[in-house]
């Protein structure tokens, strides 16, 4: 019985010492299913220009977006990130919810955490060339989702790119998804 009380005390002290942080993000979700078109001369020129500048989103992803289509369907979307801050000040992403839901987001991904002085990033990737777990028709060409939080500004961010193509037919119109959202974070409290 004494051990039972001790275990309850330890469990409660761990929960009481941690804090859940909610980041409410708003951004844009873009989607297309067009077949890529290629302009190699322009790609080489753009690659040379890219060496003088650096952007948050990778050059190849931006280039792919331009080459795929001008017909990107764009709409607003919302994300809730749930971070846990323990008594040491360590932040861990517990979960995130996307509204409206993106059907091609995979839960069983390879996760890597980058902890910097000012921010923490959780990078989710899925191996290229493998069949997408939700469809037998499509394979994953590119999959990367980055969740981050800035310790000093209290702002959160999510950025994702999911590129799929047909397993057997190369010209099969396949989903290409790109999204980004930013917002503020605060202590999770009941609103109602």
């Amino acid at each position: 019985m004494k051990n039972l009380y001790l275990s309850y005390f330890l469990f409660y002290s761990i929960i009481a010492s941690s804090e859940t942080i909610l980041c409410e993000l708003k951004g844009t979700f873009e989607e297309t299913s067009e077949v890529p078109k290629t302009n190699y001369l322009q790609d080489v020129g753009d690659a040379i220009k890219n060496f003088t500048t650096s952007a948050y989103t990778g050059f190849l992803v931006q280039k792919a977006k331009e080459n795929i289509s001008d017909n990107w369907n764009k709409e607003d979307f919302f994300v809730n990130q749930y971070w846990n801050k323990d008594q040491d000040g360590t932040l861990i992403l517990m979960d995130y919810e996307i509204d409206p839901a993106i059907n091609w987001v995979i839960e069983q991904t390879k996760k890597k955490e980058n902890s910097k002085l000012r921010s923490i990033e959780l990078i989710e990737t899925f191996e290229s060339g493998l069949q997408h777990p939700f469809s037998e028709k499509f394979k994953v060409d590119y999959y990367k989702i980055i969740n981050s939080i800035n310790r000093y500004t209290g702002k959160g961010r999510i950025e994702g790119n999911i590129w799929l193509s047909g397993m057997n037919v190369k010209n099969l119109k396949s989903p290409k998804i790109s999204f980004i959202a930013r917002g503020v974070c605060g202590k999770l409290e009941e609103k109602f």
Side-chain angles (χ1 to χ4, degrees):
M1 189 70 162
K2 194 175 194 181
N3 289 337
L4 184 62
Y5 287 127
L6 183 61
S7 62
Y8 282 134
F9 176 73
L10 289 174
F11 179 73
Y12 180 74
S13 64
I14 289 170
I15 290 177
S17 64
S18 67
E19 176 183 337
T20 302
I21 297 171
L22 170 67
C23 297
E24 296 177 304
L25 316 178
K26 181 180 179 187
T28 55
F29 164 74
E30 299 175 282
E31 180 178 32
T32 189
S33 60
E34 295 292 321
V35 177
K37 49 189 187 252
T38 307
N39 182 341
Y40 296 107
L41 186 59
Q42 182 180 359
D43 289 352
V44 170
D46 289 342
I48 292 169
K49 283 194 292 186
N50 186 55
F51 284 114
T52 60
T53 62
S54 64
Y56 188 78
T57 301
F59 168 75
L60 295 176
V61 173
Q62 277 306 113
K63 192 81 243 147
K65 277 181 70 176
E66 293 169 12
N67 285 347
I68 287 170
S69 172
D70 293 332
N71 302 323
W72 285 85
N73 300 324
K74 194 173 193 178
E75 61 182 90
D76 289 342
F77 85 116
F78 305 91
V79 178
N80 285 337
Q81 292 176 330
Y82 299 96
W83 295 86
N84 189 36
K85 182 178 180 182
D86 64 15
Q87 61 192 127
D88 299 340
T90 305
L91 289 166
I92 299 170
L93 180 66
M94 302 306 288
D95 195 13
Y96 60 94
E97 300 168 341
I98 298 175
D99 181 36
I102 299 172
N103 297 333
W104 302 107
V105 173
I106 304 169
E107 289 186 23
Q108 300 80 18
T109 57
K110 195 183 300 180
K111 294 175 174 59
K112 178 184 172 192
E113 186 177 298
N114 283 344
S115 189
K116 301 176 182 174
L117 180 63
R118 293 185 177 267
S119 64
I120 292 178
E121 292 180 342
L122 180 69
I123 302 167
E124 298 179 58
T125 58
F126 192 80
E127 189 174 340
S128 298
L130 292 181
Q131 175 183 329
H132 194 284
F134 302 150
S135 175
E136 295 177 2
K137 294 181 184 178
F138 299 116
K139 66 179 177 180
V140 175
D141 286 337
Y142 183 81
Y143 187 100
K144 188 173 194 179
I145 297 176
I146 303 171
N147 280 283
S148 64
I149 186 169
N150 189 308
R151 297 176 203 254
Y152 294 100
T153 62
K155 294 185 178 178
R157 177 184 172 116
I158 187 170
E159 180 176 353
N161 290 286
I162 303 168
W163 312 99
L164 305 177
S165 63
M167 287 292 285
N168 300 320
V169 184
K170 289 186 180 180
N171 290 336
L172 178 69
K173 290 191 174 189
S174 307
K176 311 286 188 248
I177 299 160
S178 183
F179 55 89
I180 187 167
R182 298 177 182 93
V184 294
C185 304
K187 188 173 180 180
L188 180 61
E189 296 174 359
E190 288 188 26
K191 295 186 178 181
F192 303 103

